[in-house]
């Protein structure tokens, strides 16, 4: 188990590499534990040029208001999946994958609007929920039948 022993020189080397990267700033130390924070973190939803305000309603549902949109693209920092959709003015806009694997949605430039971004669950999600419910009810019935039989036998 030598690989699991504490090595202060290795620890200091790793902390030094993190500090040198420029991506993180050391917040504090708790004994020997160094805590870092991300420098210049991005919001969860952003536009390259324009103003966006958003609210996370649920982990799979956001509402937003965008104004002065110049480039016409809204970015969502969730891993890309084709089930992420945007609804604006009664239209559905599907997500496009960015070069770093996030979601982006194309809107016309200059638009000022409200909308929502939703992870639309597939039919398999709902089928899985129904199957789980059927199994749970069946298991309950089996346990109930076993208890009744034990009561009758005794």
């Amino acid at each position: 188990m030598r690989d699991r022993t504490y090595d202060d020189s290795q620890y200091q080397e790793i902390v030094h590499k993190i500090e040198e990267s420029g991506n993180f700033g050391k917040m504090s130390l708790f004994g020997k534990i160094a805590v870092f924070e991300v420098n210049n973190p991005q919001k969860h939803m952003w536009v390259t040029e324009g103003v966006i305000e958003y609210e996370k309603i649920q982990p799979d549902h956001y509402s937003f208001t965008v104004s002065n949109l110049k480039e016409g693209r809204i970015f969502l920092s969730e891993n890309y999946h084709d089930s992420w959709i945007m609804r604006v003015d009664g239209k559905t806009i599907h997500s496009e994958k960015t070069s770093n694997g996030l979601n982006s949605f194309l809107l016309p430039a200059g638009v000022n609007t409200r909308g929502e971004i939703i992870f639309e669950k597939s039919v398999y999600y709902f089928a899985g929920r129904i199957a789980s419910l059927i199994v749970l009810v069946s298991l309950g019935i089996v346990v109930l039948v076993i208890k009744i039989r034990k009561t009758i036998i005794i």
Side-chain angles (χ1 to χ4, degrees):
M1 298 285 264
R2 187 181 180 321
D3 65 328
R4 296 186 188 210
T5 59
Y6 178 77
D7 182 352
D8 190 61
S9 63
Q10 187 179 22
Y11 170 78
Q12 293 300 332
E13 178 185 341
I14 291 170
V15 168
H16 182 70
K17 284 181 180 179
I18 292 171
E19 290 173 328
E20 280 184 338
S21 75
N23 296 323
F24 303 94
K26 188 186 284 187
M27 289 176 51
S28 58
L29 287 171
F30 296 103
K32 294 188 177 198
I33 299 171
V35 178
F36 293 88
E37 67 180 345
V38 176
N39 293 332
N40 304 317
Q42 285 280 4
K43 293 183 176 181
H44 202 68
M45 191 180 298
W46 72 95
V47 293
T48 50
E49 291 186 48
V51 178
I52 188 165
E53 294 179 16
Y54 66 93
E55 178 185 3
K56 184 176 186 178
I57 297 170
Q58 292 182 343
D60 60 354
H61 188 178
Y62 298 85
S63 67
F64 67 90
T65 303
V66 66
S67 57
N68 301 324
L69 189 63
K70 291 182 176 65
E71 191 174 300
R73 195 164 286 277
I74 295 176
F75 297 92
L76 175 67
S77 64
E78 293 281 352
N79 288 331
Y80 172 79
H81 194 282
D82 59 358
S83 292
W84 281 105
I85 60 167
M86 180 188 328
R87 291 198 178 116
V88 176
D89 300 329
K91 297 176 189 165
T92 299
I93 301 169
H94 292 274
S95 175
E96 296 176 18
K97 189 175 186 177
T98 65
S99 60
N100 55 356
L102 301 177
N103 295 282
S104 71
F105 302 90
L106 188 61
L107 278 176
V111 74
N112 296 320
T113 191
R114 297 175 55 100
E116 58 185 2
I117 295 178
I118 302 168
F119 188 82
E120 196 171 60
K121 295 173 180 77
S122 72
V123 69
Y124 299 112
Y125 171 81
F126 296 108
R129 302 264 314 217
I130 291 169
S132 296
L133 182 62
I134 290 170
V135 168
L136 184 63
V137 169
S138 299
L139 187 60
I141 291 171
V142 167
V143 168
L144 189 63
V145 167
I146 290 172
K147 280 192 165 209
I148 290 172
R149 283 188 178 175
K150 279 187 176 180
T151 307
I152 293 174
I153 292 174
I154 295 177

